[in-house]
Amino acid sequence: MKILVVGAGAVGGYFGGRLVQAGRDVTFLVRPKRARLIEARGLRIVGLGEETTLHPRTLLANEITSAYDLVLVSVKASALRSAMDDFAPAVGPGTLVLPVLNGMRHVDELAGRFGERRVLGGVVMVSTTLDAEGDILRLADVQSLTYGSRAGPAPDELVGVLGGAGFETRLAADIVGEMWAKWVFIAATGAVTCLMRATVGEVASTPGGVEFARAVVAECAAVAEAAGHPVPADSLDATRQTVTAAHSSLTSSAYRDLILDRPVEVEEIFGDLVRRAEQFGAPVPLLGLTTLNLRVYQRRRA
């Protein structure tokens, strides 16, 4: 199966790199700057005692000449529309598109462009970032990919392609529900760390911090339930425990972007959740405050 990984950053570079290591037929669709870096240094995965250097195939947008069987979309949400234009020539009659972006808004855009049945749902759990050299830096030993069909039969043909590649994989019966559960998790951790400008542990060890974090989780979970996708009790309890751990150094990707003065996925993670809450009549004052705070930050950057 021919796989095109759109983006070779902290997420796409990691999972695509593991697929390359496992001998899969992988090509990365990248921007010219990233292509030059990979040509010069290789695609490097480092951290937690690892120093892996790979030399995968790369393509620029105007170099796609044939369709691929699987397109793994891993760009930031802000780059999705331009990325769709770039990889459109790679989408043929039998192509499956597997996005692993945050939130749910990207699914509507991809399905509108390429069709409901072609676009799968995906959830990744990974703690990576790009360091100053452009290497993929592992921050924690977490790496999993859950995927499934949003409409139509399960994509059983992917089990042998994605499995056994150095990360946990699972074909989910209810991928949309799992996407909502992850959205609740990343919105909760993002709101706690971004609004307080601190790690989870710093917030939780401060008087009132645990109560604040629990209230954020409750708001996120209420939106999911109103949307018809209540988060399972064990998953919701794990999210509560994560954001109230007093000695945790955990941050969120949104927080890391924030402190490095990078664009933050405000609308995709928080704004869209607030918009849906308003439609359902679910009060979310803390999520609303987080969204306003980060919108001000984005406007200041602009």
Side-chain angles (χ1 to χ4, degrees):
M1 181 173 278
K2 291 175 58 180
I3 304 171
L4 182 68
V5 179
V6 183
V11 175
Y14 180 80
F15 286 100
R18 293 303 191 215
L19 290 169
V20 170
Q21 281 184 293
R24 308 300 192 262
D25 185 352
V26 176
T27 302
F28 287 90
L29 178 63
V30 292
R31 300 295 187 191
K33 181 179 178 181
R34 189 66 172 158
R36 291 192 296 269
L37 183 64
I38 292 174
E39 175 67 24
R41 289 175 52 83
L43 181 69
R44 290 174 46 81
I45 303 174
V46 300
L48 304 183
E50 178 178 4
E51 287 195 14
T52 297
T53 301
L54 304 167
H55 297 279
R57 291 189 300 273
T58 62
L59 282 176
L60 303 181
N62 60 357
E63 296 175 339
I64 298 175
T65 58
S66 63
Y68 285 74
D69 300 300
L70 175 66
V71 177
L72 179 65
V73 185
S74 63
V75 297
K76 288 281 191 180
S78 58
L80 178 60
R81 291 186 180 179
S82 62
M84 287 194 294
D85 292 336
D86 291 345
F87 73 75
V91 179
T95 303
L96 294 173
V97 179
L98 174 55
V100 291
L101 285 71
N102 290 325
M104 296 290 291
R105 192 165 71 170
H106 64 280
V107 171
D108 296 333
E109 295 189 43
L110 286 164
R113 178 74 177 266
F114 301 109
E116 283 285 346
R117 294 175 68 86
R118 187 189 307 281
V119 179
L120 307 176
V123 171
V124 293
M125 290 295 185
V126 66
S127 184
T128 53
T129 189
L130 288 184
D131 65 16
E133 286 74 37
D135 297 342
I136 299 161
L137 176 63
R138 299 177 64 200
L139 303 174
D141 190 20
V142 178
Q143 55 272 316
S144 68
L145 169 60
T146 304
Y147 62 95
S149 176
R150 300 169 39 257
D156 296 321
E157 65 269 34
L158 296 185
V159 173
V161 177
L162 298 175
F167 52 86
E168 179 186 346
T169 59
R170 185 166 56 85
L171 176 58
D174 178 19
I175 190 59
V176 175
E178 303 221 14
M179 292 171 70
W180 269 98
K182 184 191 176 182
W183 195 4
V184 166
F185 176 81
I186 61 173
T189 56
V192 169
T193 56
C194 288
L195 195 56
M196 294 295 110
R197 301 295 197 272
T199 67
V200 163
E202 289 172 327
V203 176
S205 61
T206 302
V210 168
E211 292 77 10
F212 160 70
R214 286 176 176 163
V216 169
V217 174
E219 287 188 8
C220 297
V223 183
E225 185 166 1
H229 299 282
V231 180
D234 57 343
S235 177
L236 193 58
D237 187 55
T239 297
R240 288 195 197 95
Q241 291 183 31
T242 297
V243 298
T244 57
H247 302 291
S248 173
S249 61
L250 178 73
T251 59
S252 62
S253 59
Y255 172 80
R256 293 192 291 273
D257 287 336
L258 179 66
I259 62 173
L260 292 173
D261 195 31
R262 296 172 178 167
V264 177
E265 292 182 311
V266 183
E267 302 306 327
E268 293 76 17
I269 298 176
F270 307 105
D272 193 34
L273 199 59
V274 170
R275 179 182 64 82
R276 294 172 192 251
E278 292 172 347
Q279 292 176 344
F280 302 138
V284 287
L286 294 174
L287 288 174
L289 182 61
T290 303
T291 303
L292 174 61
N293 183 289
L294 294 176
R295 281 173 175 166
V296 171
Y297 163 78
Q298 296 279 62
R299 288 173 65 90
R300 182 183 298 143
R301 286 191 78 257

